[in-house]
Amino acid sequence: MSRIGKQPVTIPAGVKVAVAGNVVSVEGPKGKLTKPFPKEIGVTVANNVVNVADLTVKKGKDGKDVGTAGALHGTIRAIIRNMVEGVEKGYSKTLLIEGVGFKAAVKGKQLDLALGFSHPILFNIPDQIKITVDENTKLTVEGPDKQVVGQVAAEIRGYYPPEPYKGKGVRYVGEHIVRKEGKTVQ
């Protein structure tokens, strides 16, 4: 049995959680999220609290509860908590672009990145994700789904990860890049 999976998820004011079969829908001020879950996990909503249960629990030889979906139990509880928090407050990641001539701009539903290549990189912005650009070099990725926000930020960073010699590239705010010393003439 998962210790994290046993903990209930409290539903804040302004957020609605609905369970239909094995599909959980969460709606709040920042958006609406829907995710299907395996049938081995039971999700119930009562009194502004979401409970997640492992439906495969059996008594082991030593008398303790043993569930075959133990890893899923805690993971699904954490995903539901992230969904509730995401539609209430939202998630964000901030990226910095460093390099001479490197810049970004939002054009409609596309992010235009100039990262020193011979062509601009056009990144299609997914639904429910908002990207803002400050001073041409500071990108903020915002949205209600923690996984999608992290995935979009990682894809943008993947076009030109920070290199260790000059530090050029796209990096997260607060990310430490280990710098290397270049070649020296003797």
Side-chain angles (χ1 to χ4, degrees), residues 100-138:
V100 177
F102 288 18
K103 60 184 177 179
V106 176
K107 296 179 180 176
K109 288 294 286 174
Q110 286 189 326
L111 177 66
D112 185 10
L113 296 165
L115 298 176
F117 299 118
S118 62
H119 55 84
I121 298 168
L122 296 175
F123 178 77
N124 293 322
I125 301 171
D127 295 337
Q128 291 192 335
I129 295 293
K130 180 183 172 195
I131 297 179
T132 54
V133 179
D134 295 333
E135 303 167 6
N136 290 335
T137 59
K138 188 174 183 180

Side-chain angles (χ1 to χ4, degrees), residues 5 26 41 44-45 64 119 141 162 183:
V26 182
I41 301 296
T44 56
V45 179
K64 292 183 180 178
H119 55 84
V141 181
K183 292 181 180 178

Side-chain angles (χ1 to χ4, degrees), residues 44-119:
T44 56
V45 179
N47 301 328
N48 286 336
V49 172
V50 178
N51 288 309
V52 180
D54 184 352
L55 301 178
T56 63
V57 173
K58 297 175 184 148
K59 291 286 184 188
K61 292 180 182 178
D62 56 357
K64 292 183 180 178
D65 290 339
V66 178
T68 57
L72 289 175
H73 189 201
T75 302
I76 290 172
R77 187 258 178 208
I79 290 171
I80 292 172
R81 183 187 58 82
N82 289 340
M83 289 169 66
V84 169
E85 189 176 322
V87 297
E88 182 194 15
K89 300 174 188 171
Y91 290 100
S92 69
K93 291 239 182 209
T94 307
L95 299 162
L96 288 177
I97 300 175
E98 291 185 11
V100 177
F102 288 18
K103 60 184 177 179
V106 176
K107 296 179 180 176
K109 288 294 286 174
Q110 286 189 326
L111 177 66
D112 185 10
L113 296 165
L115 298 176
F117 299 118
S118 62
H119 55 84

